[in-house]
Amino acid sequence: MENKLVIYNTLSRKKELFIPINPPNVGLYVCGPTVYGETHLGHARPAITFDLLFRYLSHLGYKIRYVRNITDVGHLENDADAGEDKIAKKARLEELEPMEIVQYYTNMYHDNMKKLNVLSPSIEPHASAHIMEQQQMVESIFRKGYAYESNGSVYFDVEKYNKTNNYGKLSGRNIEDLLSTTRELEGQEEKKNPFDFALWKKANPEHIMRWPSKWSDGFPGWHLECSVMSTKYLGEEFDIHGGGMDLLFPHHECEIAQTKIANGKESVKYWMHNNMITINGKKMGKSLGNAISLNQFFTGEHKLLEKPYAPLTIRFFILQAHYRSTVDFSNEALQAAEKGLQRLWTAFDSLSKIKAGNQSSVSISKLENKCYEALNDDLNSPVLIAHLFDGVKIINSLLSGKEQINKDDLNKLKSIYKTFVIDVLGFEKSEISQTDNKVYHKVVDLLLDLRMEAKAKKDFQMADNIRNKLLELGFEIKDKKDGYEWELSD
Ligand code: ZN
């Protein structure tokens, strides 16, 4: 395979030709969700960005081990927080065991990802299942002299690390800036320097998620889990580490430092970061109160939403922007995405109506090359979509008979749309299309009309028969004064 994929490496700050360490194998690690709340639009962006990468690398013939973690250890807002962790707080408010909270929101995340047609990763490790390995990494950093204990907590010695390494090289910060900008927070007196970060944190009495250790009953620092799980499943050196730009500092910066000390080498070859989704130009976030959950998008139940949006419309909305650009949410943008996706699907469906002739007046190879060039240029999905729209013009002129196409070219055209629209961009239509959906609704209405007729004729056996068969199939039927209402429960 001739490889021309170029990706922007956050570490070198330039586009680099992608050369796997051990081809055709590729190791990909992406920071996954913290599972203590609803899955929102912000979660969709990294998931869809790295799904595109996963799908494209697979299409190019690579064998990928894709690891995306679940953060289910209750972490504090920052090292200085003394209070409750987020998962435990939610558990207390809802009177549940913390692991019930974890399971509930993990299920919701999986359900939402499935609807967005995001493929499952190869491994999805939970932080809480890797406490022993995290303690071992703390131990190893300790032995090498880059950790110190203070009041039962263990911190990473950033100043010592920075003497021989460049702390801040990923995020472009330096230790002097950090010193002048780090706030003095309560609880910081345990640390030698305010920018030191926790490897192990002693738990307060109210902190429920805790494990015994030689230092204290406590829990691992948040950054540690990704160093540990990437090393465990992808080895000491692997190809790509991804995540949202909001994780660049401190999360990924700290990961680099602690992995370097623990393993004695740099582990990541390419760092990739997706940009954020904004709402009217402002950062979207749960703590900012303007986050819209994916379920709200799907049902339309949020004051900022004019109507419900299908999951694949959200997927199209995200992929029509380059992953390193910001995406601004608006109803107009989502409705444009809805139309754009429909246009691709209509063209895709009408490919079967085109008849091949003896010669071609259109250049299909050129279109194919352009599609590959777009993705090879740092996964430029908006440019790819623009080329596919140019292809729609070709398809329409073939349908109207203005242009002709031979058999080979027609097969190639079909294969381009199958490859890019379905396999790589993942715009696979759900089993029920809009038209099928309308017909299906009419059929259920028809059955229930027949049931009403049967009732009117006092044929109660027939009426009950229809009702029971529909109930068996999972329909919920409510009788009303002048008719009925029904829905299919999942
Ligand atoms: Zn991480």
Side-chain angles (χ1 to χ4, degrees), residues 31 226 251-252 255:
C31 293
C226 292
H251 187 55
H252 292 157
E255 253 188 81

Side-chain angles (χ1 to χ4, degrees), residues 29-32 69 71 222-223 225-227 241-242 247 251-252 255:
Y29 188 94
V30 175
C31 293
N69 68 305
T71 299
W222 166 42
H223 317 306
E225 65 183 67
C226 292
S227 288
H241 192 314
L247 298 178
H251 187 55
H252 292 157
E255 253 188 81

Side-chain angles (χ1 to χ4, degrees), residues 134-144 214-215:
Q134 294 183 71
Q135 291 183 349
Q136 283 165 351
M137 193 173 269
V138 178
E139 191 79 46
S140 156
I141 296 168
F142 227 110
R143 272 201 311 273
K144 287 164 182 154
K214 60 192 283 192
W215 310 288

